[in-house]
Amino acid sequence: MTTTIKIRLGALVRASGGSRYAVALLVDALGTGLLRPFLLLYGVTVLRLSAPATGIAMTAGVVVGLVCMPAVGRWLDRGARSTVVAASMLVRVPGVALLLATPAGHVWPFATAALFLGIGNQAWPAAHAALVATVAHGRDRDTALAAGRALRNAGMGAGALLATACLAGGATALQALAAVTGLAYLAAAALAWSVRLRARPAATPAEARDDEPAPRMRALLAANVVYAFCLNVPEIALPLVLVTQLHASPVWSAAIFAANTGLVVTLQVPVTVLMSRFSRRTVLALAGVVLAVSYLGFLAATALGHGWGAPAVAAVSVLCTIGEIVYAGSATALVTVLAPAHVLGRTLARFELSTGFGLAVSPAVITGLAPYGPATFWGGLAAATFLSAGAVATERDRGTRLDGHDGLDGHDRHGHQEPGIRAAGARPFLSDHRIVG
């Protein structure tokens, strides 16, 4: 027996914010792909800063950018949606302008530029998730979030490929790429702002009070810090292992990164839809198990040494990417269901704060564990991720039914239909599962 699922593309685009919003996401992602992977190179090549100074400035920008998240959450809870998304894109424009205006050898203007870029990069995920949660509900929301991630990865991948082709032009090419990035951010912000979407007050069920607090989600937030490490595995951990431990060609790292991007773009929506038959919490716990098993697979692959080690790492990276896809398709969706409507913004901000913290500390943790050998490195990551998966599976949120119900059938945690904006007569873009004999 096979399960077939029909996805109506037009309805999916509408549930994701509309065609203009989709174009805004694509333009923003293209601009991000042009500069973000090469920001360190820009500091070293164009501004002639030392690599350590450049790295510290970039890290400080990301960490300080996290401070803005509580304000973003409160702004979202006042009903703003497309305005916050546009602001997260627009705030990066002065960051790019500062990059272009920074004289060679001056680190503080570069650090300020990294701060503006970091604020935008940290604020965007929560703002985007809140917008989608307002437009779509139930499993439509999950798949719309997945589609947005796939579109963003496609845009960033295309931008990075274009930028790579232009790098032969040296410092001048990097400056030109930065200028195009600023224009892309400006255009994307204008498109996102033109959507003019605000949250409508949701009808509150009798059982749910207007002053109901945000869910604590302590185990989920702590686990998410560890889960977020998987997002840096293809970019940091695997190149480090391949080059320094297996002495493999850097081509392997590039191929793994390209495969990771391609798999996310092509599989994010189908895998999210496939997992929709299970509760989001169960799927998120499963993602942790898959990631932990992949880390053990990397441990086994590195034991093969030079020769077969690199191909084995590449093969295991596919499993790691599947875990990342399952994690990304369930984590934010679970948070949007657990949060009462009036504190959705603050709840998403707390969740994205944990993600940003995980991404900020993971390079230091990964590079710090690597010298102690593969067993400590991959074994430590696997153990932490297994524990995180267990914490996610066993956590019980206040007000959530003991059976772990989290909106499996498109209802909220009180068993009522989830609020959202839907045009009169509109149908969900996912058809019912049909069993074909």
Side-chain angles (χ1 to χ4, degrees):
M1 298 176 69
T2 59
T3 301
T4 61
I5 300 171
K6 291 183 178 180
I7 301 176
R8 288 184 286 275
L9 182 59
L12 174 58
V13 172
R14 289 193 297 273
S16 302
S19 56
R20 271 182 300 171
Y21 185 67
V23 174
L25 293 186
L26 184 59
V27 172
D28 179 77
L30 282 168
T32 301
L34 288 174
L35 180 63
R36 189 170 172 179
F38 309 103
L39 188 57
L40 179 67
L41 189 61
Y42 188 98
V44 173
T45 304
V46 178
L47 303 182
R48 303 189 184 282
L49 303 174
S50 67
T54 305
I56 291 172
M58 290 173 60
T59 301
V62 172
V63 173
V64 177
L66 293 173
V67 178
C68 76
M69 292 310 299
V72 170
R74 288 191 294 271
W75 193 5
L76 290 170
D77 284 337
R78 289 198 292 268
R81 290 295 184 266
S82 57
T83 303
V84 186
V85 175
S88 72
M89 297 171 172
L90 190 61
V91 74
R92 288 177 286 187
V93 175
V96 175
L98 271 173
L99 282 181
L100 295 172
T102 299
H106 290 69
V107 68
W108 285 108
F110 176 79
T112 306
L115 172 61
F116 280 110
L117 294 172
I119 290 173
N121 292 334
Q122 297 300 327
W124 180 86
H128 168 70
L131 186 147
V132 173
T134 304
V135 176
H137 62 100
R139 290 299 177 171
D140 288 6
R141 177 188 298 172
D142 298 34
T143 311
L145 288 169
R149 183 171 190 260
L151 181 65
R152 184 165 178 80
N153 274 268
M156 289 181 64
L161 285 175
L162 179 60
T164 301
C166 297
L167 287 181
T172 302
L174 282 171
Q175 288 176 310
L177 289 173
V180 173
T181 296
L183 293 174
Y185 287 155
L186 188 61
L191 284 168
W193 179 81
S194 71
V195 174
R196 305 280 182 95
L197 178 68
R198 288 185 60 85
R200 293 179 183 174
T204 305
E207 297 89 337
R209 299 181 306 169
D210 289 336
D211 60 349
E212 184 179 1
R216 293 180 179 178
M217 305 186 307
R218 291 174 179 172
L220 177 59
L221 294 176
N224 188 56
V225 173
V226 178
Y227 272 67
F229 276 51
C230 74
L231 302 175
N232 274 335
V233 166
E235 296 185 38
I236 299 175
L238 296 186
L240 182 66
V241 168
L242 287 166
V243 174
T244 64
Q245 296 181 8
L246 297 178
H247 308 290
S249 168
V251 173
W252 283 105
S253 300
I256 289 172
F257 182 78
N260 173 271
T261 302
L263 288 172
V264 170
V265 171
T266 56
L267 296 182
Q268 185 66 71
V269 171
V271 169
T272 301
V273 173
L274 186 64
M275 293 289 104
S276 65
R277 68 193 68 188
F278 307 108
S279 95
R280 297 175 179 89
R281 188 175 289 280
T282 299
V283 174
L284 184 55
L286 174 64
V289 173
V290 173
L291 289 171
V293 170
S294 73
Y295 297 156
L296 295 178
F298 288 131
L299 174 59
T302 55
L304 297 176
H306 184 68
W308 287 104
V313 167
V316 176
S317 71
V318 175
L319 179 63
C320 185
T321 299
I322 296 298
E324 174 191 336
I325 290 171
V326 177
Y327 157 61
S330 57
T332 303
L334 175 60
V335 173
T336 63
V337 171
L338 293 177
H342 65 284
V343 290
L344 175 64
R346 277 167 285 180
T347 305
L348 283 169
R350 288 168 57 213
F351 178 74
E352 295 301 337
L353 189 62
S354 71
T355 303
F357 181 74
L359 291 174
V361 302
S362 59
V365 173
I366 288 171
T367 54
L369 287 177
Y372 292 96
T376 300
F377 180 43
W378 294 116
L381 288 179
T385 309
F386 269 127
L387 290 174
S388 298
V392 167
T394 57
E395 184 179 32
R396 290 291 178 264
D397 296 281
R398 181 170 49 193
T400 303
R401 283 165 42 183
L402 292 179
D403 61 1
H405 180 82
D406 58 14
L408 176 62
D409 56 358
H411 292 73
D412 66 15
R413 61 200 188 105
H414 302 285
H416 296 267
Q417 185 70 31
E418 294 180 41
I421 296 176
R422 183 184 292 278
R427 296 178 298 167
F429 56 82
L430 295 181
S431 69
D432 292 335
H433 295 185
R434 296 184 300 153
I435 306 300
V436 181

